[in-house]
Amino acid sequence: MKKWFLIHVLLMTCLQFVNAQTVSTAVVEYNGLKYPAYIKEMEVGTDQVEAAVKEYFATKGARERTHKGYSIYRNVRLAKGGTNEVQDAFVRVERAGKRNEDKSRLIVILTKPGAISEDKPSKAQKEVGSGVVLVAGGSVIFDELNPGINNQQYLYELGKLEKELKDLEEDKNKLNKSREKLEKELDDVKKEISSREEAISNTKALLEAKREKGPAM
């Protein structure tokens, strides 16, 4: 019980760290054009973040469409942040660093409905630029996503511990079977030794008797 309590405390500490990461803005590329976006890096694996994103937008009734590495959710209504307007959200989850599997970068392009087209941009559009303005208050999405990300990370960590426990128990069972096999082999060896000792004793007695009797006259 004490062990699982300590594990729970460690997990909660990790999840609080996820919430502590700040949201920044940067320019990202989608479909050949540059767009302003909200970005947040987290000490959480991409699988967990992606699962939380899908779950979050599903609760909003938004249908996902994937295009050019982004999950696209159109006409999403964000209840928090003092606005009841709908927006389009272009979401991308990527690993933050090639070697770091447990650190993700969540990118969200939040715009007015229909502001970004999925069609291939013309040469003129590429020269002019997207001209898209980022909808204010985009951090609302991250605030709403945090509980889901925390939950996914919590389940992931629990799953890892449960798998580790299962593997340890399987190893223990294998070792117990090996021990039982060795103990049985040891018992068989002991029986063989006992049998040989009895045979040696009998043979010694026959030898002594033979020596005492001597050769036939």
Side-chain angles (χ1 to χ4, degrees), residues 3-19 43-44 149-162:
K3 176 183 175 182
W4 284 107
F5 174 75
L6 291 173
I7 291 172
H8 181 75
V9 171
L10 288 172
L11 288 174
M12 289 301 100
T13 302
C14 176
L15 299 181
Q16 287 172 3
F17 184 73
V18 172
N19 290 333
E43 300 290 338
V44 183
I149 293 174
N150 288 347
N151 184 58
Q152 290 294 332
Q153 181 67 4
Y154 180 72
L155 294 175
Y156 170 70
E157 294 292 346
L158 282 183
K160 282 179 62 176
L161 289 171
E162 288 171 351

Side-chain angles (χ1 to χ4, degrees), residues 30-88:
Y30 163 71
N31 199 22
L33 293 176
K34 302 290 185 180
Y35 295 95
Y38 292 103
I39 295 179
K40 183 177 183 179
E41 291 191 357
M42 294 163 283
E43 300 290 338
V44 183
T46 55
D47 289 345
Q48 290 71 59
V49 178
E50 286 176 351
V53 167
K54 290 180 184 295
E55 184 179 42
Y56 167 75
F57 282 102
T59 62
K60 298 290 183 181
R63 299 179 66 178
E64 179 190 26
R65 172 181 168 79
T66 57
H67 186 247
K68 300 292 185 180
Y70 281 79
S71 294
I72 303 171
Y73 303 92
R74 294 196 180 274
N75 299 311
V76 181
R77 192 179 301 279
L78 300 179
K80 293 183 179 180
T83 177
N84 206 28
E85 297 179 355
V86 295
Q87 293 96 21
D88 286 350

Side-chain angles (χ1 to χ4, degrees), residues 14-209:
C14 176
L15 299 181
Q16 287 172 3
F17 184 73
V18 172
N19 290 333
Q21 307 306 297
T22 57
V23 179
S24 60
T25 58
V27 175
V28 299
E29 185 172 335
Y30 163 71
N31 199 22
L33 293 176
K34 302 290 185 180
Y35 295 95
Y38 292 103
I39 295 179
K40 183 177 183 179
E41 291 191 357
M42 294 163 283
E43 300 290 338
V44 183
T46 55
D47 289 345
Q48 290 71 59
V49 178
E50 286 176 351
V53 167
K54 290 180 184 295
E55 184 179 42
Y56 167 75
F57 282 102
T59 62
K60 298 290 183 181
R63 299 179 66 178
E64 179 190 26
R65 172 181 168 79
T66 57
H67 186 247
K68 300 292 185 180
Y70 281 79
S71 294
I72 303 171
Y73 303 92
R74 294 196 180 274
N75 299 311
V76 181
R77 192 179 301 279
L78 300 179
K80 293 183 179 180
T83 177
N84 206 28
E85 297 179 355
V86 295
Q87 293 96 21
D88 286 350
F90 288 67
V91 184
R92 179 182 176 90
V93 181
E94 59 186 24
R95 185 184 296 179
K98 294 181 178 179
R99 297 184 179 179
N100 198 333
E101 296 182 359
D102 295 326
K103 188 173 183 180
S104 301
R105 182 180 295 110
L106 177 57
I107 302 169
V108 180
I109 305 172
L110 195 64
T111 69
K112 293 182 178 181
I116 300 178
S117 173
E118 296 172 41
D119 297 334
K120 185 177 180 179
S122 64
K123 184 178 179 181
Q125 286 177 309
K126 290 183 178 180
E127 292 176 352
V128 174
S130 68
V132 170
V133 177
L134 196 63
V135 172
S139 59
V140 170
I141 285 184
F142 296 93
D143 293 339
E144 292 189 344
L145 273 170
N146 275 337
I149 293 174
N150 288 347
N151 184 58
Q152 290 294 332
Q153 181 67 4
Y154 180 72
L155 294 175
Y156 170 70
E157 294 292 346
L158 282 183
K160 282 179 62 176
L161 289 171
E162 288 171 351
K163 184 180 183 303
E164 182 180 348
L165 179 60
K166 182 181 178 181
D167 290 343
L168 288 170
E169 288 175 340
E170 288 178 353
D171 287 343
K172 178 185 174 183
N173 291 335
K174 288 179 181 178
L175 289 171
N176 279 333
K177 288 181 180 179
S178 296
R179 184 190 65 185
E180 291 171 0
K181 182 180 178 181
L182 290 171
E183 287 176 346
K184 184 179 182 303
E185 290 177 353
L186 180 60
D187 287 339
D188 292 340
V189 170
K190 287 180 178 179
K191 289 177 182 178
E192 288 293 330
I193 292 174
S194 178
S195 175
R196 295 298 187 277
E197 288 176 344
E198 184 179 355
I200 289 170
S201 179
N202 292 336
T203 302
K204 281 183 177 179
L206 289 172
L207 178 61
E208 291 298 324

